Amino acid sequence: MNSGILLVDKPQGITSHDVVARVRRAAGTRKVGHAGTLDPLATGLLVLGLNSSTRLLTFLVGLDKGYDATIRLGASTTTDDSEGEIVTRASAAGVTDEAVDAGIARLSGPISQVPTTVSAIKVDGRRAYDLAREGVEVELKARDVTISEFTVLERRESTVDGLVVRDLDVRVSCSSGTYVRALARDLGSDLGVGGHLTALRRTRVGPFDVTRASVLEGIDVAPALLAPVDVAERLFPIWRMTADEATDLGHGKRVAVGFDDTDGPIAAVTPARALAGLVSVRGGGAKPIVNFPTDEVAS
């Protein structure tokens, strides 16, 4: 198989692009992309697509995510994480567990969040992090996100540079577009002592878990690939076509389907169990959203 979705456990200290570059060399193809960037500080699940399966990545980017993270209360930084310069310090000695829990409750559910300044969001065609590195003041608009879980797993207290800091190991489940760094920043701000992220690990993207991911070092790509049809069956309603329907769809003909009208996507699967494409339904007929070369992806 030379097309599929690859789950990689990204190590700390390298960019998502570095992972793509290594997988390109290991797989012997230039056609590799990823769904959702991880910062160099972060570890965990990075979802990649190879060859024609890169067409699936658009539909993976918007899936909800899961993270394990460590938030430090007692200091804020320029990047909202430990890679930035410290901007403010304050003792977190007076921050009670009850106050932390109340602050987390205010940051749970549907919230409006201002993304971290050092982010990949584009401002006038340029990435916010590039503008920030040049000293340009960037103001990003708040966006609506949903925090479905924000749970403290462990609490620790220590002294750094003479001031008490509190570290919170947390688990977060959230909608796409959420910045966990911004949650750390906003929790610290709400508690009046500042906050930033010191560790971040992505554990889940939609139904895909980091426990099923491959280690990057010495990765053997081919046996680790998930077939496009296996991925589609976990994400979309399935239209199992007859041979004639598959032929007609491949020729661009209108094919009647037994689904209610929807913008899609619905996964069109051939009798040989290959993903022929993703379709929407209009007037009882299938309309292709994206097609796949079934000779390449048959499993």
Side-chain angles (χ1 to χ4, degrees):
M1 179 180 293
N2 56 6
S3 175
I5 294 297
L6 181 67
L7 307 181
V8 174
D9 188 346
K10 187 189 90 67
Q12 189 174 16
I14 65 173
T15 67
S16 298
H17 183 73
D18 292 333
V19 176
V20 169
R22 293 191 192 183
V23 170
R24 282 173 174 164
R25 291 193 295 270
T29 179
R30 294 289 302 169
K31 295 181 180 179
V32 180
H34 66 80
T37 300
L38 282 175
D39 296 327
L41 170 72
T43 67
L45 184 58
L46 193 64
V47 180
L48 283 73
L50 277 70
N51 295 318
S52 67
S53 291
T54 56
R55 303 174 195 180
L56 277 173
L57 296 179
T58 299
F59 306 94
L60 299 175
V61 170
L63 296 174
D64 60 330
K65 313 290 196 300
Y67 297 92
D68 288 343
T70 301
I71 296 172
R72 171 157 292 183
L73 300 175
S76 61
T77 73
T78 54
T79 58
D80 300 330
D81 63 26
S82 57
E83 294 192 325
E85 297 178 5
I86 293 178
V87 178
T88 64
R89 291 183 186 274
S91 174
V95 178
T96 65
D97 290 348
E98 292 75 16
V100 169
D101 294 341
I104 285 176
R106 287 188 288 272
L107 291 170
S108 300
I111 65 171
S112 181
Q113 181 187 74
V114 176
T116 186
T117 301
V118 185
S119 68
I121 294 173
K122 285 190 175 181
V123 179
D124 296 328
R126 299 191 62 195
R127 301 290 184 186
Y129 53 67
D130 287 331
L131 295 171
R133 287 166 185 156
E134 294 173 9
V136 178
E137 189 170 333
V138 178
E139 291 188 11
L140 299 176
K141 295 180 180 179
R143 57 172 63 180
D144 294 332
V145 298
T146 299
I147 312 302
S148 53
E149 180 184 8
F150 193 172
T151 304
V152 179
L153 304 177
E154 187 175 336
R155 309 169 197 248
R156 296 182 299 280
E157 188 173 290
S158 59
T159 301
V160 177
D161 295 333
L163 293 176
V164 172
V165 299
R166 297 200 70 191
D167 288 331
L168 309 174
D169 293 338
V170 301
R171 179 159 294 155
V172 175
S173 295
C174 54
S175 60
S176 179
T178 301
Y179 284 85
V180 182
R181 283 181 292 165
L183 289 178
R185 175 201 67 200
D186 292 344
L187 179 61
S189 176
D190 185 33
L191 295 171
V193 296
H196 66 279
L197 210 64
T198 62
L200 181 65
R201 179 166 176 78
R202 186 154 67 196
T203 57
R204 182 181 57 81
V205 175
F208 306 107
D209 195 273
V210 71
T211 57
R212 304 298 300 272
S214 298
V215 175
L216 183 60
E217 187 68 29
I219 189 169
D220 187 0
V221 173
L225 285 178
L226 301 177
V229 67
D230 292 334
V231 173
E233 287 180 341
R234 299 187 67 178
L235 298 177
F236 313 118
I238 302 299
W239 170 31
R240 300 195 185 280
M241 300 182 292
T242 65
D244 288 342
E245 288 172 336
T247 299
D248 288 345
L249 185 70
H251 291 161
K253 294 182 180 180
R254 177 183 173 84
V255 183
V257 295
F259 287 90
D260 293 334
D261 284 8
T262 175
D263 290 333
I266 292 172
V269 177
T270 72
R273 202 171 171 271
L275 180 64
L278 302 178
V279 302
S280 60
V281 179
R282 283 287 180 268
K287 180 180 179 181
I289 299 172
V290 59
N291 292 320
F292 290 85
T294 54
D295 59 335
E296 179 189 21
V297 300
S299 63

